[in-house]
Amino acid sequence: MNYQILKINISDRIAVVTVSRPAALNALNSDFFKEMNHFLDDLEPRDDVKVLVITGEGKSFVAGADIAEMVNMNSVEGSAFSVNGQHTFDRLENLPIPVIAAINGYALGGGCELAMACDFRIASKLAKFGQPEMNLGLIPGYAGTLRLSKLTGIGNALYLILSADTISADDALRIGLVQKVTEPESLIEETMKIAARIAANSSQSVPVAKMVIRKGVNIDLTESSEFVASEFGKLFDQPATKEGMKAFLEKRKPNWK
Ligand code: DAK
């Protein structure tokens, strides 16, 4: 595919996708969703990519769904736009490999929802977060209502969505919306260091850990404990698990191959 909006760079087992439509502050339009789904179709069968990083070009991560595209939609088109977006964000959340959002600037509306569909978020000090849909007579349409409540608690979700206030990266860190704040110029470097550490871990246990955490929050403790025990047990049949423990006992670095 000839990508017009996404810039894709894959090296050293890490894929970096940059949303690049700076004239519209990287607002999400139908072409973005087509390109992201095409990229995910290509990525899913690959076993040489261990971490995906998503960032934005210019002063914005993503300033929301494309208002110019949404303005003339009727309810059927609006609903389809929402379902398409939800499906794409669910694919990111359900990818076996970890997905990190490197948030360089505005993460508003659908942009904040995109960041929340990632597994965790690293933000530049200059980043701004918010769900300003109320200003447009809308509500968050890409499952942001649920993800924001789960990540930050229902009080913070109600505050941010009902007030449409924009908050700083430091405030986003304080409420658990982001996990780390960096100087603007070191955002990508810091993110890549974390991505590289993850990529260097066992590619058998990383996806299992992600899956167990992701599924575990949606089931009760008893069911979750049984599920974790079963997935934990399965790892013992994996050569990488034996190698990791042997390497510790032999006081050397594991060789995951
Ligand atoms: N869509 C389209 N264009 C956008 C945009 C957006 N979300 N955000 C910015 N732009 C465009 C501006 O129109 C402007 O274009 P030109 O006038 O130059 O042609 C260009 O980007 C630069 O923007 P500004 O001139 O406004 O730049 P500033 O630095 O002055 O301001 C800003 C930056 C981020 C504070 C401001 O641009 C802004 O407030 N943008 C809108 C942010 C926003 O409201 N985002 C939420 C969008 S609503 C649903 C499905 C999905 C959704 C909801 C429901 N269902 C169907 C149920 C999702 C909704 C949203 O995400």
Side-chain angles (χ1 to χ4, degrees), residues 23-25 27 59 63-67 70 78 82 106 108-110 132-133 136 139 141-142:
L25 302 187
K59 69 175 181 181
D66 189 330
I67 300 167
M70 285 194 297
S82 173
Y106 293 111
L108 301 176
E133 287 85 349
L136 305 166
I139 60 168
Y142 299 138

Side-chain angles (χ1 to χ4, degrees), residues 208 211-213 215-234:
V208 175
M211 189 255 292
V212 163
I213 293 167
K215 283 202 176 157
V217 292
N218 294 320
I219 53 183
D220 70 24
L221 188 60
T222 313
E223 208 183 326
S224 172
S225 302
E226 285 164 11
F227 176 57
V228 172
S230 151
E231 293 301 322
F232 182 79
K234 283 185 206 162

Side-chain angles (χ1 to χ4, degrees), residues 110-135:
C112 191
E113 293 176 293
L114 170 62
M116 291 190 289
C118 298
D119 292 310
F120 57 89
R121 287 145 290 284
I122 317 284
S124 148
K125 262 188 180 162
L126 297 180
K128 300 263 182 241
F129 296 81
Q131 296 289 162
E133 287 85 349
M134 286 288 141
N135 294 335

Side-chain angles (χ1 to χ4, degrees), residues 19-46:
V19 185
S20 179
R21 209 182 148 225
L25 302 187
N26 306 329
L28 304 177
N29 61 5
S30 307
D31 286 342
F32 163 85
F33 289 111
K34 262 187 223 142
E35 292 190 12
M36 184 57 95
N37 278 299
H38 192 277
F39 167 71
L40 292 172
D41 289 343
D42 282 346
L43 181 71
E44 275 164 354
R46 289 179 72 148

Side-chain angles (χ1 to χ4, degrees), residues 23 28 52 94 97 104 119-120 122 149 156 159 165 195 200 221-222:
L28 304 177
L52 169 61
N94 293 322
I97 61 170
N104 49 302
D119 292 310
F120 57 89
I122 317 284
S149 303
N156 286 313
Y159 156 57
D165 277 357
L221 188 60
T222 313

